[in-house]
């Protein structure tokens, strides 16, 4: 097992390198880079202005003054919308954003810094990327963890009940309900919850935004915990609705597959009770794929399901951070968040494999080629 873990950890290095290289190359070809974002602000064509450009003391006000001084000079530039701007301003912006070096040098510097967990500073937030990620991570982890736990706590008993009552009215009605829930997009269900329970048009039961209420720091610990979970109810329900169908049907089909095997028939023939057969023999084998998939389910919820929910409920997490960084072409934040996402995904996938051996010690990874 130790040899397998070491091999998997070593394989993470080329995987991370390949993903970093791919993301870096893609960003080089995206239109509207950070220099063009500033140019759009200077020329008044930006859709939404960012706060300020970090480093070098080059604030937007000073840049506007420089732009007005060189506005009469026709300048050919590789940046869209830069005609008429002072060439020195463009060069200053390139130096400021680190774009004055060739792409291969910038990538080599990026890899060296990432090996030291130095993700640089945000172009437009004037903060270290690692600080931004750490600040936003608790929100996203809270959403992902509680959503995954809620989904498992409901879907596993429901899937077992459906397998035992396969073909019954209970099975048919619950299948109808979870399929309808699966068909409703999470963000649409979030809006419905807000309208019904957050003061939209009916009941004002739950808070509309944020993870905590005003004055949270002054509350007692029991009051803080209650307030935190009170804020999490609607976002978690909105994120969990889509996962019910997949996990419930996976659990049901896994149990049905095991129930029809010969060892179950033999156990019943020996006179064992149905409960003893189900939970003493079937449960471990049927739950192998379900429980071992917990890390993958968590990473899926964390990185793919939280963006719109964070926007709708004004939750300042990693999904919203990455989305805003992509819109503003804030390359250090984009690459930093992708690196963290990838690293966490690889580690959780390894944990998922190891959970197989915990649930079923008969599985041996030592004899398996990675």
């Amino acid at each position: 097992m130790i040899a397998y873990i070491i091999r998997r950890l070593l394989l993470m290095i080329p995987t991370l390198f390949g993903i970093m290289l791919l993301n870096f190359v893609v960003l080089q070809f995206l239109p509207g880079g950070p220099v063009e974002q500033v140019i759009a602000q200077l020329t008044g064509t930006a859709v939404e202005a960012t706060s300020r450009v970090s480093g070098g003391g080059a604030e937007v006000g000073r840049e506007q003054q420089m732009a007005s001084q060189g506005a009469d000079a026709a300048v050919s530039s590789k940046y869209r919308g830069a005609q008429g701007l002072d060439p020195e301003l463009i060069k200053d912006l390139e130096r400021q954003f680190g774009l004055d070096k060739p792409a291969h040098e910038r990538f080599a510097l990026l890899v060296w810094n990432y090996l030291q967990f130095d993700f640089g500073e945000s172009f437009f937030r004037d903060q270290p990327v690692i600080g931004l990620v750490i600040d936003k991570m608790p929100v996203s982890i809270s959403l992902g963890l509680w959503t995954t736990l809620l989904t498992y706590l409901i879907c596993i008993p429901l899937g077992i009940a459906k397998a035992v009552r396969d073909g019954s009215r209970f099975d048919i009605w619950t299948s109808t309900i979870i399929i309808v829930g699966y068909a409703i997009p999470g963000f649409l269900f979030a809006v419905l919850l807000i309208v019904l329970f957050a003061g939209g048009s009916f009941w004002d039961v739950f808070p509309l935004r944020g993870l905590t209420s005003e004055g949270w720091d002054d509350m007692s610990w029991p009051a803080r915990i209650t307030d935190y979970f009170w804020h999490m109810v609607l976002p978690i329900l909105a994120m969990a609705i889509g996962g019910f169908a997949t996990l419930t049907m996976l659990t049901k089909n896994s149990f049905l597959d095991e129930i029809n095997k010969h060892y179950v028939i033999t156990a019943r023939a020996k006179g064992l009770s149905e409960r003893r057969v189900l939970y003493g023999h079937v449960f471990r084998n049927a739950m192998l794929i379900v429980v071992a998939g917990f890390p993958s389910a968590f990473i899926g919820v964390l990185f793919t399901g939280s963006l719109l929910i964070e926007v709708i409920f004004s939750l300042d997490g990693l999904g919203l951070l990455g989305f805003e960084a992509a819109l503003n072409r804030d390359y250090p934040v984009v690459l930093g968040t992708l690196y963290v996402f990838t690293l966490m995904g690889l580690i959780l996938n390894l944990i998922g494999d190891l959970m197989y051996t915990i649930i079923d010690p008969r599985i041996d990874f030592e004899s398996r080629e990675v």
Side-chain angles (χ1 to χ4, degrees):
M1 178 59 66
I2 295 178
Y4 173 77
I5 294 175
I6 292 175
R7 291 200 302 268
R8 286 290 299 269
L9 292 175
L10 291 176
L11 278 175
M12 290 183 185
I13 298 175
T15 304
L16 280 172
F17 180 84
I19 293 175
M20 287 172 56
L21 178 60
L22 179 62
N23 291 328
F24 182 85
V25 171
V26 169
L27 288 179
Q28 307 312 304
F29 293 97
L30 287 179
V35 175
E36 290 176 295
Q37 293 285 321
V38 176
I39 290 173
Q41 295 178 42
L42 302 180
T43 57
T45 59
V47 177
E48 182 178 356
T50 47
S51 58
R52 57 172 296 186
V53 181
S54 63
E59 298 181 357
V60 173
R62 182 175 66 83
E63 292 166 352
Q64 289 176 333
Q65 183 179 1
M66 295 176 64
S68 62
Q69 293 173 354
D72 295 332
V75 180
S76 60
S77 175
K78 61 182 177 180
Y79 298 107
R80 184 177 58 183
Q83 289 77 11
L85 295 180
D86 189 345
E88 290 301 321
L89 170 62
I90 305 300
K91 293 180 180 179
D92 182 54
L93 290 174
E94 288 181 336
R95 285 192 299 269
Q96 187 175 322
F97 292 122
L99 301 177
D100 56 331
K101 301 180 181 67
H104 66 278
E105 291 185 13
R106 287 187 279 122
F107 181 71
L109 181 62
L110 178 76
V111 172
W112 173 249
N113 290 335
Y114 274 34
L115 289 175
Q116 306 172 69
F117 278 84
D118 178 10
F119 301 138
E121 290 198 359
S122 168
F123 285 160
F124 300 106
R125 292 175 180 259
D126 198 20
Q127 296 181 46
V129 174
I130 188 65
L132 288 171
V133 171
I134 293 174
D135 287 343
K136 313 300 181 185
M137 190 172 290
V139 176
S140 296
I141 289 181
S142 294
L143 287 174
L145 181 61
W146 294 120
T147 300
T148 307
L149 285 175
L150 176 66
T151 304
Y152 269 70
L153 289 175
I154 294 177
C155 293
I156 290 177
L158 180 59
I160 296 174
K162 287 174 63 64
V164 174
R165 299 172 177 83
D166 184 40
S168 66
R169 284 178 137 188
F170 172 81
D171 183 34
I172 295 173
W173 279 106
T174 52
S175 295
T176 303
I177 293 172
I178 63 175
I179 290 174
V180 170
Y182 181 74
I184 300 175
F187 71 91
L188 186 60
F189 190 65
V191 174
L192 177 63
L193 290 176
I194 290 175
V195 172
L196 291 177
F197 302 110
S201 300
F202 295 89
W203 302 281
D204 189 4
V205 180
F206 296 100
L208 178 60
R209 62 184 67 225
L211 279 183
T212 56
S213 302
E214 293 183 5
W216 187 81
D217 293 333
D218 299 328
M219 297 180 183
S220 62
W221 277 109
R224 288 185 182 185
I225 295 173
T226 302
D227 182 72
Y228 165 77
F229 281 106
W230 201 243
H231 281 76
M232 292 294 291
V233 169
L234 296 187
I236 289 175
L237 287 177
M239 291 182 63
I241 188 68
F244 283 151
T246 302
L247 185 58
T248 301
M249 299 309 296
L250 176 64
T251 304
K252 175 189 173 182
N253 293 333
S254 181
F255 268 79
L256 282 177
D257 185 56
E258 293 295 325
I259 288 173
N260 294 324
K261 289 185 177 179
H262 291 295
Y263 75 90
V264 176
I265 298 175
T266 302
R268 287 172 174 166
K270 290 181 177 180
L272 295 180
S273 66
E274 193 66 24
R275 183 179 183 85
R276 178 72 180 275
V277 171
L278 184 63
Y279 293 101
H281 296 272
V282 176
F283 187 81
R284 171 176 285 189
N285 295 327
M287 290 303 297
L288 179 62
I289 188 173
V290 177
V291 176
F294 182 89
S296 298
F298 170 70
I299 205 73
V301 171
L302 180 62
F303 297 149
T304 63
S306 63
L307 173 57
L308 290 175
I309 301 301
E310 288 180 10
V311 174
I312 291 172
F313 290 99
S314 300
L315 301 174
D316 196 8
L318 283 176
L320 185 58
L321 174 67
F323 176 72
E324 291 178 346
L327 289 181
N328 293 327
R329 302 298 190 266
D330 197 343
Y331 292 162
V333 176
V334 173
L335 291 171
T337 52
L338 288 173
Y339 180 84
V340 173
F341 287 168
T342 304
L343 182 60
M344 291 182 63
L346 291 173
I347 293 174
L348 287 174
N349 282 331
L350 174 59
I351 294 174
D353 284 348
L354 297 181
M355 287 185 68
Y356 281 102
T357 62
I358 296 175
I359 299 172
D360 190 349
R362 295 172 297 177
I363 297 177
D364 182 19
F365 283 110
E366 291 290 354
S367 59
R368 171 186 169 188
E369 293 293 332
V370 180

